[in-house]
Amino acid sequence: MATLKFDDHKVPYLDLGSGYRIALESNEYTDAISKEKAARELRETPDVVEKSIQELRSLLQEEKSLYIPMDNDAFMIKFLRPCKYYAKSAFELIQRYYRFRSKHPDLCDELFPASVTHVYAEGLVHFLPLRDQHNSRILVLECGKKWKPANVSLTDLFRAVQLALEAGMFEPKTQLNGAVVILDMEGLSLSQIMQFTPKFAAMALDWIQRCIAMRLKSVHIVNNSYLFNMLFAIFKPFISEKLRKRLFFHQKDWNSLTSHIDAKCLRPKYGGTLECLETDGQLLGEMFELYHKEYELANSFGYLQKQD
């Protein structure tokens, strides 16, 4: 069975056997390939980075009601990378990000791992141990038969997804290479669809499309049935053209899925060749809990008063 361990630097990780592990990668990339990609795709050169941080800091100093660590370069870069180091775009992203948090306290206040460990324990939200062929982080959401709304509310499910993506946002390698999402809808039922409303769909897509500091590369829907079409109809009016181009519907066509994500990164149930222990959701939640201080600090930032 999977176990929670610590490496030589006391970084926690999930040991899935056969050399596979899941861990948060907080170190900056230093390899030549990543640096070249960052320069090519994000304009990330020493001169641009320094200038952009200064410009972003100047813009943020005028946002008097926003409390954030403006002296922390890593914090600035977290928002600059997905905006290709355009300071004005990063500033507007920060505004949207924290206004969303202010507007939706039920979804964002006290967003600590301990508040959603039951979601992870159900195995609804987890990472795959390998990144894809483009070094993108792979996040899997199993929102079909595994999800029992009586045990996990839609609000808590959304909070758990936020926590997982927040973890990715702190990883420099993910800031550069982005994330792909596999949405597994196997066994979706009418009772689950009834949890969703147009208001929730609009809110969720506003967050995904405008508020997260993440390069969302693609979303792959698998095991989708005719019932999924009913759910998708709720979300469809709020999907931007940019996101629409990154949505892929595979049903059970694993050749289709592996044409986008290398088979070596996927488990056999998704047509892949990745042979290792299943992610233990309970342990994943415990691993996130070990970062409580980091989440607590992140939760201390934001607008000092409610924003319209």
Side-chain angles (χ1 to χ4, degrees):
M1 60 184 293
T3 52
L4 180 57
K5 297 181 178 179
F6 295 85
D7 67 13
D8 294 339
H9 302 287
K10 297 184 179 179
V11 175
Y13 68 93
L14 253 60
D15 186 347
L16 302 182
S18 304
Y20 294 105
R21 62 172 62 183
I22 295 174
L24 301 186
E25 302 168 353
S26 60
N27 294 332
E28 272 291 340
Y29 45 80
T30 57
D31 61 289
I33 293 176
S34 293
K35 285 191 168 185
E36 187 279 328
K37 182 177 183 179
R40 173 168 39 87
E41 295 189 7
L42 306 183
R43 307 188 311 131
E44 187 173 291
T45 63
D47 289 345
V48 169
V49 171
E50 182 180 0
K51 181 185 177 188
S52 297
I53 289 175
Q54 289 175 353
E55 288 180 1
L56 180 56
R57 223 168 245 141
S58 296
L59 290 167
L60 287 166
Q61 284 170 350
E62 298 303 313
E63 195 78 347
K64 303 296 186 184
S65 61
L66 180 60
Y67 170 67
I68 54 172
M70 283 194 287
D71 294 332
N72 186 322
D73 286 357
F75 178 89
M76 297 291 175
I77 289 172
K78 179 177 75 171
F79 288 95
L80 281 164
R81 276 181 174 142
C83 296
K84 300 182 179 180
Y85 283 92
Y86 290 105
K88 188 172 186 297
S89 295
F91 172 63
E92 291 169 351
L93 174 59
I94 289 171
Q95 286 181 309
R96 293 194 300 271
Y97 178 82
Y98 284 107
R99 283 172 178 164
F100 181 91
R101 292 180 65 89
S102 180
K103 186 178 179 181
H104 302 283
D106 57 322
L107 299 171
C108 304
D109 280 4
E110 298 186 358
L111 193 58
F112 307 129
S115 69
V116 289
T117 50
H118 62 296
V119 183
Y120 294 112
E122 297 279 330
L124 305 180
V125 182
H126 56 88
F127 294 125
L128 291 181
L130 294 181
R131 292 173 177 268
D132 76 358
Q133 67 272 23
H134 304 296
N135 267 325
S136 301
R137 176 67 86 177
I138 304 175
L139 176 67
V140 180
L141 308 179
E142 298 192 49
C143 299
K145 63 185 179 183
K146 274 192 175 184
W147 177 34
K148 299 175 177 59
N151 298 338
V152 174
S153 70
L154 183 59
T155 294
D156 282 351
L157 179 57
F158 187 82
R159 285 169 65 87
V161 172
Q162 280 189 88
L163 275 164
L165 285 179
E166 287 278 347
M169 284 165 54
F170 280 102
E171 296 182 302
K173 190 181 289 188
T174 305
Q175 292 168 10
L176 170 61
N177 300 296
V180 300
V181 176
I182 297 175
L183 188 57
D184 188 345
M185 306 307 297
E186 183 179 11
L188 180 72
S189 69
L190 194 57
S191 63
Q192 291 164 329
I193 293 172
M194 295 299 289
Q195 304 297 312
F196 295 88
T197 63
K199 182 179 179 181
F200 178 89
M203 176 278 300
L205 283 169
D206 179 56
W207 175 70
I208 292 168
Q209 296 174 148
R210 302 180 70 250
C211 301
I212 59 172
M214 175 75 72
R215 302 183 77 194
L216 183 60
K217 308 302 286 187
S218 56
V219 178
H220 300 271
I221 296 96
V222 301
N223 291 315
N224 45 307
S225 64
Y226 73 95
L227 275 178
F228 174 80
N229 295 336
M230 295 173 61
L231 177 60
F232 186 66
I234 301 173
F235 285 83
K236 191 173 181 179
F238 310 106
I239 299 175
S240 67
E241 185 62 27
K242 181 179 179 181
L243 179 58
R244 199 181 300 270
K245 291 178 179 178
R246 298 180 184 186
L247 287 176
F248 301 93
F249 302 88
H250 303 287
Q251 287 84 35
K252 296 180 182 295
D253 185 347
W254 307 131
N255 287 331
S256 175
L257 180 61
T258 54
S259 71
H260 294 271
I261 303 174
D262 197 310
K264 71 180 182 182
C265 308
L266 297 170
R267 295 188 182 280
K269 69 178 182 178
Y270 298 132
T273 59
L274 175 62
E275 295 279 5
C276 65
L277 296 170
E278 288 288 335
T279 304
D280 184 310
Q282 184 71 42
L283 291 180
L284 181 64
E286 290 177 16
M287 187 183 84
F288 281 144
E289 280 194 74
L290 294 170
Y291 289 91
H292 177 81
K293 287 185 178 179
E294 286 80 358
Y295 279 106
E296 190 173 46
L297 181 62
N299 274 269
S300 70
F301 306 140
Y303 281 99
L304 302 177
Q305 58 190 16
K306 298 298 182 183
Q307 298 296 298
D308 294 330

